Amino acid sequence: MGTPGFVRTAVVVTAGMALLTGCGLADGSGNRSSAGRDGSGVHTTRTPAPGTDLKRIPGVRAGLLAHIPETSRQVVTVHGEGVNSADSRVSLYTRHGDTWDRTRTWAAHNGKRGWTTRHREGDKRSPVGVFGLSDAGGVLAPPSGTGLPYHRSGGFAAPRSWPRTHWHDFDYVIAIDYNRVTGRSPADPARPQGQERGGSIWLHLDHGSGTSGCVSLSKPAMTYLLRTLEPAAKPVVVMGDGKHLRG
């Protein structure tokens, strides 16, 4: 991606059987967390009303902001509640000249064991850093207006041996460019930095609890992002727990 904050990744999906070591099943129990939900079970915002004309993206130290390319006009932030917490919030910022507008915020989940700056396969933690958002896909057809290249395949479907609450996790997917080759399906198995560095790090649908390393959001949130993110805007994600993001 051209800056130290960008690394590349992949995921493995074969013949209808998902072999996912970053995304996917958080645990065998299917237990749910109530964080970020109201009585109806719908994810709700956990930040104030959208902000406009912000001089910088709040809650992110200058060292990380420096890894956002000058050409990027869309930034998704993932603020984890703690280094060992699976709860987080996701916001979308759009650059207008020298200022940023926060247009949406949603409750979300990250790795069930929290965050790490040295992600390894199977550690159940989400990687901290700045990464591109260049490819999407999923079981379902893309929402109308989807801008990112979208790779539809039944191979994204979660195994039916998983708890029912997880069956639709990968109906919509946006690949986070951690240890993957961009320009390919999120299901592409290539991992340029090696298998030990993990991969399969996606934005995907939420099942109500922590993930194996991905970031999960409600279906309305994923639909909005798919319709809003544009390749020409060079979208990126800035992600981590509050301590690592603030420095």
Side-chain angles (χ1 to χ4, degrees), residues 1-3 6 57 64-76 92-101 130-134 177 229-238:
M1 281 296 184
T3 64
F6 287 88
I57 296 174
L64 279 177
L65 293 176
H67 289 306
I68 299 175
E70 288 293 329
T71 54
S72 293
R73 293 185 285 108
Q74 292 178 323
V75 172
V76 175
L92 174 63
Y93 291 85
T94 304
R95 192 203 304 260
H96 298 284
D98 295 329
T99 63
W100 293 92
D101 290 348
V130 179
F131 311 103
L133 298 172
S134 52
D177 293 340
L229 297 177
E230 303 175 0
K234 307 297 184 184
V236 301
V237 60
V238 181

Side-chain angles (χ1 to χ4, degrees), residues 182-200:
T182 61
R184 300 182 184 179
S185 167
D188 185 85
R191 293 185 181 175
Q193 296 187 345
Q195 293 293 317
E196 72 281 358
R197 293 296 301 272
S200 309

Side-chain angles (χ1 to χ4, degrees), residues 115-121 123 126-128 178 196-197:
W115 297 90
T116 180
T117 58
R118 296 183 61 82
H119 179 66
R120 292 293 183 268
E121 184 153 340
D123 65 9
S126 298
V128 175
Y178 171 86
E196 72 281 358
R197 293 296 301 272

Side-chain angles (χ1 to χ4, degrees), residues 20-204:
L20 306 175
T21 59
C23 284
L25 187 61
D27 57 40
S29 67
N31 290 335
R32 290 178 173 267
S33 166
S34 62
R37 292 177 176 266
D38 59 21
S40 67
V42 176
H43 279 288
T44 55
T45 183
R46 288 195 278 180
T47 62
T52 58
D53 296 329
L54 302 171
K55 298 301 181 184
R56 57 179 288 169
I57 296 174
V60 181
R61 56 188 166 89
L64 279 177
L65 293 176
H67 289 306
I68 299 175
E70 288 293 329
T71 54
S72 293
R73 293 185 285 108
Q74 292 178 323
V75 172
V76 175
T77 63
V78 185
H79 282 82
E81 291 193 355
V83 66
N84 297 315
S85 173
D87 295 322
S88 54
R89 70 182 186 275
V90 169
S91 298
L92 174 63
Y93 291 85
T94 304
R95 192 203 304 260
H96 298 284
D98 295 329
T99 63
W100 293 92
D101 290 348
R102 185 176 64 234
T103 55
R104 290 288 191 280
T105 298
W106 306 272
H109 289 99
N110 50 266
K112 63 179 293 187
R113 294 178 181 169
W115 297 90
T116 180
T117 58
R118 296 183 61 82
H119 179 66
R120 292 293 183 268
E121 184 153 340
D123 65 9
K124 308 295 185 184
R125 292 181 179 270
S126 298
V128 175
V130 179
F131 311 103
L133 298 172
S134 52
D135 300 286
V139 176
L140 301 180
S144 60
T146 294
L148 296 176
Y150 192 95
H151 309 264
R152 185 185 184 187
S153 172
F156 283 100
R160 288 307 187 253
S161 60
W162 290 5
R164 185 180 295 269
T165 52
H166 297 68
W167 285 4
H168 296 285
D169 282 10
F170 313 128
D171 282 358
Y172 292 143
V173 163
I174 299 174
I176 294 171
D177 293 340
Y178 171 86
N179 195 20
R180 68 177 298 266
V181 178
T182 61
R184 300 182 184 179
S185 167
D188 185 85
R191 293 185 181 175
Q193 296 187 345
Q195 293 293 317
E196 72 281 358
R197 293 296 301 272
S200 309
I201 306 300
W202 297 345
L203 300 175
H204 66 68

